[in-house]
Amino acid sequence: MRLRTLLDMPDLRLAVVTGEDQLDRVIRWVVTTDMLDPSRYLSGRELVLSGLVWRSGPADSEIFVQALTKAGVSALAAWDAEAGTIPGDLIDACRRHRLPLFRVPEDVAFATVTEEVVRHLSTARAADLAAVLDRHRRLVAGATEGAGLGSILELVGRDLGMRCWVVTPAGRVVAGSHPLPDDIDPAGVARVFLTAPRLPHRLRTPDLSIFPVAADTTSRVADWFIVCEGDWEEWPAERRALTGELAAIVALERVRSDDRLSVEGRLAQELVRLIVAAAGTDEILPRLELSGLDVLSSFVAVAATSRGTERGDLRPGELRTLLREILPGPRPVVGLLDEEVIALLPVPAEGEHDVAGGIHRVLQVIAPGLADSGLAVGVSDVVAAGELRGAVEEARYARRLAAGRTDPVCVVGHDELATHVLLLASVPDDVRHMFRVRLLDPLLTYDEVHKADLIRTLETFLQNSGSWTRCAEQLHLHVNSVRYRIQRIEELTGRNLSRLEDRVDFFLALRLG
């Protein structure tokens, strides 16, 4: 209840002494005290009743009022029965600290004030509970009937006058109770959501409160969030409860928007798996058309993983949903291969230049929320529909290169890949694995047993174009030690490192690792 309600209770006949401009303050309980400093027994928003027994002189009024103000009391109601008045020093202290002060009539007992206020609070709380339950019923009914978030937010705005919006971490407004005001930048609010140390969070300019939708189950960079006007810490319990209910309903709507179980989502998953399995174009092209893509278009492939392993980092399914929303271009096809997300993006003719740079720019929007984990992303060259297999392999290789870097969002495009990498991208995984194992496994086994460092010696020798001297200097070894190690490598593998063909094989095997 609010302070002004006290003035409408005829049996109390309370009168305002000071604080007429503060009558919209809320009372949540009533406390009687005659202690000089009762702050330890107060928790805020009480109506304090006092017979002023604590007052032994004018200085005590300042101490008493200061203690009430510090405790967050809503108002003081007082009367000194012995003096038959309220001392002027107490009135001055209340005025100074902007604490509303009421005069209790001499013939009205404090017990009567307490009883009336508590009865009113109990009635109001019962009405509030009924209202909350009724709104919850209507909210859930709207969600169940598929009314959409817009209609549900309009209900909240109409019943409580609370303007609110649902926004994604990329700054897209999903729905709102009202059109978004010009002074609210959704991308800027999304950055605050991604970087706030704790949620809910208050944004002071403009005056907004930000709430997560599914903080306990979803990584923040993949979650939606609710933006409401006003300071949530000053809201009554009813409004806070309603916000919690709204977040639960938005979380359900967010799950519904996940297309993995839809026909479109299953088609995308099947298409990605067919491409990786090297299916023929007679299988791939019809599924491209079923996915709503033009087989005559050009495409790029994108491969992405989250580098984080901690709780709260992006899970593969969340990353898939995020990329489906944030990647540029119309209708990306996005599927999962174990921990890796694969996307196929149609590229218009005018957008074929610097596709990787464009993807990097859009992903930077969520970079503030990735400081403790990060995304590794690989982007292929632009290809025709019949060349998607090689494009996916190229993107996956580029993603592996990106995984070794430390930027929150690291994107490696096809232009960073050497010519031999483009060739390797079209080789099946099992063939590449067999090639590397046959050539390098003898060296790896020898190193494990003898701690001989043959693999590192081989890499350094090739990096220095077979120069014994430069290799020895880089490894801090004598030249004869390098010669001995190279001889051992040749004996174990049956290769000759003075031959160009064998050097190329070793180089490719090392790059495949």
Side-chain angles (χ1 to χ4, degrees):
M1 62 178 285
R2 299 188 183 277
L3 290 179
R4 65 176 66 258
T5 307
L6 297 171
L7 303 177
D8 297 329
M9 297 180 178
D11 293 338
L12 300 186
R13 306 195 314 278
L14 299 181
V16 181
V17 178
T18 182
E20 293 87 347
D21 58 339
Q22 301 288 317
L23 296 182
D24 282 328
R25 289 190 181 187
V26 174
I27 306 169
R28 68 168 187 84
W29 200 240
V30 57
V31 174
T32 300
T33 184
D34 277 310
M35 298 176 63
L36 181 60
D37 183 358
S39 56
R40 76 171 81 176
Y41 302 105
L42 301 171
S43 56
R45 299 191 179 181
E46 294 94 346
L47 170 65
V48 171
L49 305 177
S50 180
L52 311 186
V53 175
W54 47 264
R55 182 179 178 277
S56 59
D60 289 341
S61 293
E62 178 67 22
I63 297 172
F64 180 72
V65 173
Q66 192 171 25
L68 297 188
T69 305
K70 185 177 179 181
V73 165
S74 293
L76 169 65
W79 181 254
D80 187 339
E82 186 175 335
T85 186
I86 297 178
D89 48 81
L90 178 60
I91 297 172
D92 292 341
C94 288
R95 186 174 291 118
R96 247 189 332 272
H97 290 279
R98 295 181 59 78
L99 178 67
L101 174 62
F102 292 84
R103 180 170 54 249
V104 182
E106 187 174 2
D107 59 338
V108 176
F110 284 174
T112 301
V113 176
T114 300
E115 183 180 344
E116 286 294 315
V117 171
V118 169
R119 182 185 296 117
H120 189 93
L121 287 173
S122 298
T123 303
R125 283 173 182 161
D128 287 347
L129 179 59
V132 168
L133 292 174
D134 179 62
R135 288 192 184 96
H136 181 78
R137 177 186 57 76
R138 286 185 284 158
L139 287 174
V140 172
T144 304
E145 293 165 6
L149 287 179
S151 299
I152 293 171
L153 295 177
E154 287 174 9
L155 171 64
V156 174
R158 183 173 63 250
D159 278 19
L160 288 184
M162 185 169 77
R163 304 209 295 179
C164 50
W165 302 266
V166 176
V167 186
T168 72
R172 177 174 68 90
V173 179
V174 179
S177 60
H178 299 75
L180 196 69
D182 293 338
D183 63 338
I184 298 179
D185 172 25
V189 176
R191 283 193 296 273
V192 174
F193 167 72
L194 288 172
T195 57
R198 288 183 302 276
L199 294 170
H201 178 80
R202 182 190 177 191
L203 183 64
R204 296 184 180 277
T205 307
D207 189 13
L208 302 171
S209 293
I210 300 172
F211 300 86
V213 168
D216 294 335
T217 59
T218 308
S219 170
R220 194 179 295 190
V221 291
D223 200 4
W224 290 356
F225 62 97
I226 300 172
V227 182
C228 299
E229 286 188 334
D231 180 1
W232 69 278
E233 293 181 330
E234 295 182 355
W235 290 354
E238 178 198 8
R239 181 168 292 196
R240 293 195 195 187
L242 186 65
T243 305
E245 294 169 13
L246 180 59
I249 291 169
V250 173
L252 289 175
E253 191 68 20
R254 178 183 160 277
V255 171
R256 286 179 181 175
S257 71
D258 188 342
D259 75 329
R260 276 179 287 179
L261 298 179
S262 69
V263 173
E264 182 182 356
R266 290 196 296 270
L267 279 173
Q269 185 69 24
E270 182 183 4
L271 176 59
V272 168
R273 292 196 177 278
L274 283 173
I275 291 171
V276 173
T281 54
D282 57 332
E283 290 187 82
I284 291 174
L285 295 185
R287 284 173 173 79
L288 270 177
E289 290 183 320
L290 285 173
S291 299
L293 300 177
D294 184 357
V295 296
L296 299 179
S297 295
S298 297
F299 297 87
V300 295
V302 178
T305 55
S306 171
R307 289 198 297 264
T309 58
E310 300 296 326
R311 181 181 181 275
D313 287 326
L314 271 172
R315 293 184 286 271
E318 294 175 342
L319 178 56
R320 178 192 176 278
T321 301
L322 179 64
L323 292 183
R324 184 170 171 265
E325 175 187 343
I326 203 172
L327 285 177
R331 298 176 63 87
V333 168
V334 189
L336 276 176
L337 289 176
D338 298 323
E339 300 295 306
E340 193 171 26
V341 180
I342 304 295
L344 307 174
L345 273 67
V347 180
E350 66 275 9
E352 292 187 2
H353 301 291
D354 193 25
V355 177
I359 290 174
H360 185 264
R361 284 189 290 275
V362 298
L363 290 176
Q364 284 298 319
V365 173
I366 61 168
L370 295 169
D372 296 329
S373 54
L375 294 183
V377 181
V379 183
S380 75
D381 196 2
V382 179
V383 300
E387 301 170 324
L388 285 173
R389 168 70 165 65
V392 168
E393 289 301 315
E394 183 181 337
R396 297 181 77 186
Y397 195 96
R399 196 276 308 161
R400 289 194 287 272
L401 293 181
R405 304 179 184 178
T406 58
D407 297 339
V409 174
C410 183
V411 178
V412 171
H414 76 97
D415 54 338
E416 292 191 50
L417 305 181
T419 304
H420 72 275
V421 174
L422 299 179
L423 177 63
L424 292 174
S426 62
V427 179
D429 287 343
D430 54 347
V431 175
R432 287 187 289 176
H433 177 71
M434 181 178 64
F435 176 76
R436 184 175 187 277
V437 165
R438 286 184 175 179
L439 199 55
L440 298 183
D441 258 22
L443 306 182
L444 292 167
T445 302
Y446 191 88
D447 279 349
E448 288 177 3
V449 174
H450 300 282
K451 312 299 181 187
D453 220 8
L454 295 184
I455 290 289
R456 181 163 172 257
T457 302
L458 176 61
E459 287 179 318
T460 308
F461 183 76
L462 295 175
Q463 288 169 359
N464 288 282
S465 303
S467 169
W468 304 99
T469 304
R470 290 199 302 273
C471 182
E473 290 174 352
Q474 193 166 333
L475 292 173
H476 305 291
L477 296 173
H478 192 276
V479 172
N480 288 340
S481 298
V482 174
R483 290 182 184 276
Y484 172 78
R485 289 186 182 183
I486 296 300
Q487 181 182 350
R488 177 60 66 187
I489 290 170
E490 292 175 335
E491 292 172 352
L492 290 169
T493 61
R495 300 300 185 102
N496 184 351
L497 279 165
S498 65
R499 298 176 65 244
L500 176 62
E501 295 91 334
D502 287 341
R503 287 190 188 183
V504 169
D505 283 349
F506 277 122
F507 173 77
L508 293 176
L510 290 167
R511 290 303 297 269
L512 286 171

